[in-house]
Amino acid sequence: MDAIDQFSKITALIGEPSRAKILWSLLDGKAYTASELAAFANISTTSASNHLSKLLASEILKVEVQGRHRYYNFSHADVAYAVEALAQLSKVSSPVKTDNIKPAGIKYCRTCYDHLAGYVGCQIVDIMESKGYLEKEEKQYRVTTRGWDWLQQLDIKQSDYKDIRRPLTRYCLDWSERRPHLAGKLGADLLEKMIFKNWFRKVQFSRELIITTKGTQEIYKLLGISL
């Protein structure tokens, strides 16, 4: 298939009205289930599944399995950029970054197995990426030299991870934020250090975490974000 035929195929996939609505809804940066995308596009779940299969086959979307659920999102950043560029041709704003309301309770901050999750967990990973401490790779993060230097402030050293069996890092799709937070050995150690330093306090009989005043202050000093 030559370039123009491939281009025609991709534009036809994106241009179909229901699929266009599905792609539009993904511009907020979150991942969604087939039933949620069906609701956004005002179509049946069966119809949405058919559209999603075509988008997956063309590598426009990817799917991640989390427990019993399958979450769909753009396959890579270039797809999101292309869809957002098309959205700019319309006379209305795309749904990117329009929701500034912070969630509460367990959606705000919690443990996911042994690592930090929820709004707080995702915010910390986002700022670590923006500062160049972490870089996204296939299903995992790469800790940069700058990142290892920063982690030493939390008594986390690169030399401690030479012979580990568990993956150093990996993506874990956050069920409430619908975007990745940091899992793996580093994610577990990071949370352990923060709890030891009394930045977070566990809620009894719950996975919810309370961020302490000290934690709020120290995270702001280290990362420049207010939680």
Side-chain angles (χ1 to χ4, degrees):
M1 183 181 295
D2 61 25
I4 191 169
D5 288 337
Q6 180 66 14
F7 176 75
S8 297
K9 178 183 177 183
I10 294 298
T11 53
L13 278 168
I14 293 175
E16 197 282 330
S18 293
R19 288 195 286 270
K21 291 177 182 178
I22 287 172
L23 295 172
W24 171 272
S25 65
L26 291 170
L27 280 175
D28 65 358
K30 298 182 180 181
Y32 293 99
T33 63
S35 58
E36 288 171 328
L37 292 170
F40 290 144
N42 196 28
I43 56 178
S44 69
T45 302
T46 300
S47 180
S49 295
N50 290 333
H51 288 305
L52 290 169
S53 294
K54 293 178 180 178
L55 293 169
L56 287 172
S58 296
E59 299 183 350
I60 292 175
L61 298 185
K62 64 180 179 181
V63 62
E64 296 184 48
V65 179
Q66 193 83 352
R68 296 177 299 163
H69 300 288
R70 292 165 61 86
Y71 292 95
Y72 296 85
N73 206 343
F74 295 121
S75 58
H76 48 79
D78 286 346
V79 177
Y81 297 151
V83 174
E84 187 172 7
L86 290 172
Q88 299 306 314
L89 298 176
S90 66
K91 300 301 181 182
V92 295
S93 300
S94 69
V96 178
K97 299 179 181 178
T98 57
D99 187 1
N100 294 317
I101 301 174
K102 292 182 181 179
I106 198 168
K107 291 184 178 181
Y108 179 70
C109 190
R110 65 179 180 277
T111 57
C112 177
Y113 302 107
D114 58 359
H115 52 271
L116 186 62
Y119 174 84
V120 171
C122 290
Q123 286 292 104
I124 288 176
V125 170
D126 285 350
I127 199 69
M128 288 179 72
E129 280 190 74
S130 69
K131 289 181 177 293
Y133 303 153
L134 297 175
E135 291 182 352
K136 281 183 177 178
E137 293 184 342
E138 186 66 25
K139 297 185 179 180
Q140 63 183 8
Y141 295 97
R142 184 180 72 84
V143 185
T144 64
T145 300
R146 189 177 179 184
W148 285 118
D149 290 341
W150 178 81
L151 286 166
Q152 289 191 58
Q153 299 175 84
L154 294 167
D155 302 319
I156 295 176
K157 302 176 182 178
Q158 186 175 9
S159 58
D160 295 335
Y161 296 89
K162 288 183 178 179
D163 300 313
I164 59 173
R165 294 184 178 181
R166 183 179 181 181
L168 174 63
T169 67
R170 69 175 183 85
Y171 298 161
C172 185
L173 184 64
D174 196 281
W175 63 261
S176 57
E177 286 295 302
R178 307 299 179 85
R179 52 199 175 104
H181 56 244
L182 178 63
K185 185 70 168 65
L186 180 60
D189 289 349
L190 193 60
L191 177 59
E192 182 181 15
K193 295 290 185 182
M194 289 179 170
I195 290 177
F196 177 77
K197 291 175 179 292
N198 194 36
W199 295 6
F200 294 101
R201 188 174 67 249
K202 293 183 178 180
V203 175
Q204 190 175 20
F205 308 123
S206 173
R207 292 194 294 117
E208 182 180 354
L209 294 172
I210 301 297
I211 184 168
T212 65
T213 300
K214 180 182 179 182
T216 301
Q217 294 171 345
E218 293 299 320
I219 290 172
Y220 181 79
K221 287 179 184 178
L222 284 176
L223 294 172
I225 53 173
S226 300
L227 297 172

